[in-house]
Amino acid sequence: MDQPRLIYLLNNRTALDPLEIKSIRHEVHVRTQAIERLQLELQKLESERAAWQSLLSPLRRNSIPPEILGEIFGFVLLATERTKPRRSQVNVLCRVCKAWRDVALGISSLWAQLDDIVVQNHLDVAKVRSWLSRAGNAAKMLGIVGHHRYPKVPNSVCPFASSAVQEFLSRGPGLNSLSLKCKSLQCFAELLNPTPSHGGAPNSRSFDSLHSISLGFGLWPSSPDAWQLLENLPPVTSLTLDLPEPDNEEDSDNPESPLPHSIFTANLTKLCIRSTWPIAWLLEILDVCTNLEGLVLEYGLGYYVDEEMQTPPNEVFLPNLRSLELREMSVYQQTTTHILRYLVVPSLKALEIVYDGDQEPLDELSLPKRKEFCADMLSLVGSDLQYFRLENLPIAPASLYDILSAFPSLRHLVLDGVESDSGLFRYRGFGDEPPLFSELEVLEMLNVPPSFDPNDVCSLFNERNRVLKQLRMTIVVDPSPGKKWNAKTLSESGTDISISYIPR
């Protein structure tokens, strides 16, 4: 069919005869085939162009300075540290290309940390030495886990009895931080004993220069004398102890902690205790830690020992404590925060209270008042608290108001997974009600229920004399933002606002 006939048919409504229909179908088929050929050619050219263009990337042209690429590597490790072992990520970066490997080998901080090296019968000392040697003068951290292959077999050989482990800690490179975990305290006998077993001179142990040490074991010592092994720990500034449950009721009723006081030296400024030990024991330990600046107490999931004390313990004065964290607590145990009542902490600036997030949710219509928790928190009134994080706790809004209004010095508040509602923000400080958030600069409400209405939150800060600089909310609900007039007004006044809805 010629071009004039095509133009004529397009501009008229003339009925087509069978011959014209066949001819038109042929022309459509011919042009379809031509288009397909051109599309294939276009795809080929685009693929070739992308391949050539990749050769001009900044990485291939070495236009990214090594120090910038090293910073990127550091962020990669930081972003994946909870999902993948650090050492495996470093190895992945080194396998991308020779240029990346050369850069990685030149960044000492990438090689300064070796976590959770599992030892059964043999520690590959050569590999550990080689890895840490690349760290140069950077502060080195090593974590070793002794894994008993046959834990139920009597008199099974402890992996920490390996001469390789002992030799490395005797002659290995100087370490800044060391983590040792094994089945029992007796596993550390050879490692912590500075006197050689064959009558020679005491070894100059590499971990004598440690600033931080973490020790963990799961079984209560069969002999009370075993605790004295801990006296051979070096005088560190940071100490972490992952301690077993008391062996029986007699141990938990004993008013004295079995830990030797000598391990809590004047050098100690940071202490972390993971245990289900009685409050009396913990307070006795803290009483000798007079120079603490940071304290972390992890109670363990769903279990806590709280003895009925006939005589309340004396208050413990910690004049330099600036940071306190209570973690892994059960919402069903009302006594887990009672230790706050016995701490005198005039310098406290930061407090974190984190409950176990895997517990069954409570009925939102009957949010508990948490009277015991409120009393524990109010015992801290008088400290200049500036940062407070509360996580995974269902609590009535009136109780939460009573707590937060008691700390007018708060600058940064984080409510993460806290079940409550916007009643907290509808108080306006009239009458006898104390003002709320008069100095708050940053408010983070993360994974909160839809009972927290952003309009109520923003309305409070739209009032005069509010200094809020940043508001971040993530609300667990099917996306339904609703009106945000108050948020818009608050944003226009200079507050950095981020409000997002995440699915249940």
Side-chain angles (χ1 to χ4, degrees):
M1 180 178 293
D2 55 15
Q3 190 69 17
R5 181 60 177 171
L6 173 62
I7 295 174
Y8 173 77
L9 293 175
L10 291 175
N11 294 326
N12 294 275
R13 297 182 180 276
T14 306
L16 302 177
D17 59 42
L19 184 60
E20 287 178 326
I21 292 175
K22 182 177 180 181
S23 177
I24 291 172
R25 285 176 174 170
H26 172 73
E27 294 297 336
V28 171
H29 179 68
V30 169
R31 283 159 179 76
T32 299
Q33 288 184 322
I35 291 172
E36 290 176 350
R37 287 195 300 271
L38 291 174
Q39 287 178 335
L40 290 174
E41 183 66 21
L42 178 62
Q43 291 175 1
K44 179 181 177 182
L45 291 173
E46 288 179 340
S47 178
E48 291 176 351
R49 182 184 65 179
W52 287 107
Q53 187 68 38
S54 68
L55 297 177
L56 298 177
S57 68
L59 291 176
R60 295 300 298 271
R61 290 184 286 115
N62 293 327
S63 61
I64 298 181
E67 57 272 17
I68 300 300
L69 190 56
E71 290 291 328
I72 295 173
F73 289 171
F75 283 117
V76 169
L77 297 181
L78 185 63
T80 59
E81 63 181 357
R82 293 188 178 183
T83 58
K84 297 180 180 179
R86 179 185 178 93
R87 60 182 181 276
S88 67
Q89 286 296 89
V90 173
N91 285 328
V92 168
L93 293 172
C94 289
R95 293 191 186 108
V96 171
C97 63
K98 184 178 183 301
W100 281 30
R101 175 178 170 80
D102 291 341
V103 170
L105 289 174
I107 302 173
S108 58
S109 60
L110 296 182
W111 308 93
Q113 185 171 331
L114 265 179
D115 289 329
D116 296 334
I117 303 298
V118 177
V119 178
Q120 291 186 349
N121 296 321
H122 176 68
L123 173 68
D124 195 331
V125 173
K127 283 187 177 181
V128 175
R129 287 184 187 279
S130 175
W131 184 285
L132 294 178
S133 66
R134 297 165 186 165
N137 294 326
K140 301 174 183 62
M141 185 276 172
L142 175 64
I144 302 178
V145 179
H147 180 67
H148 287 250
R149 180 175 294 182
Y150 307 108
K152 295 183 180 180
V153 176
N155 301 320
S156 59
V157 177
C158 174
F160 276 9
S162 165
S163 59
V165 177
Q166 297 175 20
E167 189 271 343
F168 178 80
L169 293 180
S170 296
R171 304 177 184 177
L175 300 172
N176 181 270
S177 178
L178 175 65
S179 173
L180 299 173
K181 298 179 182 179
C182 207
K183 184 175 72 171
S184 68
L185 181 55
Q186 284 81 355
C187 293
F188 304 106
E190 294 295 331
L191 303 182
L192 300 181
N193 191 347
T195 304
S197 57
H198 299 294
N203 293 323
S204 176
R205 299 171 300 173
S206 64
F207 64 89
D208 282 338
S209 61
L210 285 171
H211 290 88
S212 172
I213 191 166
S214 175
L215 204 66
F217 52 98
L219 298 180
W220 193 263
S222 57
S223 169
D225 296 335
W227 292 101
Q228 303 310 310
L229 280 172
L230 298 179
E231 292 182 340
N232 296 319
L233 289 175
V236 293
T237 59
S238 176
L239 176 63
T240 298
L241 296 173
D242 193 345
L243 301 169
E245 298 177 9
D247 193 34
N248 51 52
E249 294 183 1
E250 293 181 1
D251 289 322
S252 61
D253 290 338
N254 190 330
E256 295 185 358
S257 160
L259 291 177
H261 288 184
S262 60
I263 67 176
F264 305 107
T265 64
N267 296 351
L268 195 63
T269 59
K270 183 176 181 181
L271 175 64
C272 175
I273 297 181
R274 302 186 181 105
S275 76
T276 56
W277 284 19
I279 286 179
W281 288 12
L282 296 176
L283 290 173
E284 184 196 347
I285 293 170
L286 297 178
D287 194 35
V288 296
C289 300
T290 54
N291 293 322
L292 277 187
E293 297 176 6
L295 172 62
V296 180
L297 299 177
E298 294 189 9
Y299 291 108
L301 301 179
Y303 178 80
Y304 176 67
V305 178
D306 183 33
E307 71 282 8
E308 292 293 334
M309 293 172 286
Q310 299 297 327
T311 303
N314 295 326
E315 291 182 337
V316 173
F317 183 53
L318 299 175
N320 301 323
L321 193 71
R322 298 177 60 86
S323 173
L324 173 61
E325 300 177 32
L326 306 181
R327 295 185 169 274
E328 292 191 11
M329 299 186 297
S330 169
V331 297
Y332 306 111
Q333 292 285 349
Q334 297 293 318
T335 59
T336 49
T337 53
H338 274 5
I339 195 170
L340 297 177
R341 303 184 182 191
Y342 306 103
L343 298 180
V344 180
V345 284
S347 301
L348 189 67
K349 302 293 184 184
L351 174 64
E352 295 189 29
I353 300 181
V354 179
Y355 287 84
D356 175 28
D358 293 332
Q359 298 165 120
E360 290 294 328
L362 300 180
D363 184 356
E364 292 185 8
L365 298 179
S366 58
L367 290 170
K369 294 182 179 179
R370 303 288 179 193
K371 293 182 179 179
E372 295 290 330
F373 176 70
C374 290
D376 296 338
M377 284 295 301
L378 295 178
S379 68
L380 296 175
V381 170
S383 61
D384 187 26
L385 193 64
Q386 298 185 7
Y387 173 85
F388 179 43
R389 180 185 187 95
L390 181 62
E391 188 170 339
N392 300 325
L393 180 69
I395 184 172
S399 298
L400 193 54
Y401 177 88
D402 290 340
I403 293 172
L404 297 178
S405 61
F407 298 96
S409 58
L410 275 180
R411 301 290 193 275
H412 190 160
L413 172 64
V414 182
L415 301 178
D416 190 348
V418 172
E419 293 183 46
S420 193
D421 62 50
S422 291
L424 168 67
F425 297 90
R426 289 194 286 267
Y427 293 94
R428 288 295 187 268
F430 297 133
D432 295 332
E433 296 174 0
L436 188 67
F437 304 146
S438 57
E439 301 294 333
L440 196 68
E441 298 179 354
V442 179
L443 174 60
E444 297 182 72
M445 303 182 66
L446 312 177
N447 307 303
V448 296
S451 52
F452 281 106
D453 187 345
N455 281 314
D456 289 334
V457 178
C458 296
S459 176
L460 175 66
F461 293 101
N462 277 325
E463 298 178 353
R464 294 181 180 181
N465 301 322
R466 303 292 178 177
V467 294
L468 191 68
K469 296 179 180 178
Q470 183 179 4
L471 169 63
R472 181 185 174 198
M473 291 186 69
T474 57
I475 305 171
V476 183
V477 65
D478 294 332
S480 178
K483 296 181 179 180
K484 293 184 180 178
W485 299 115
N486 286 316
K488 182 180 179 181
T489 302
L490 188 60
S491 178
E492 290 173 349
S493 67
T495 301
D496 180 12
I497 296 180
S498 172
I499 301 176
S500 58
Y501 294 80
I502 58 179
R504 293 183 184 275

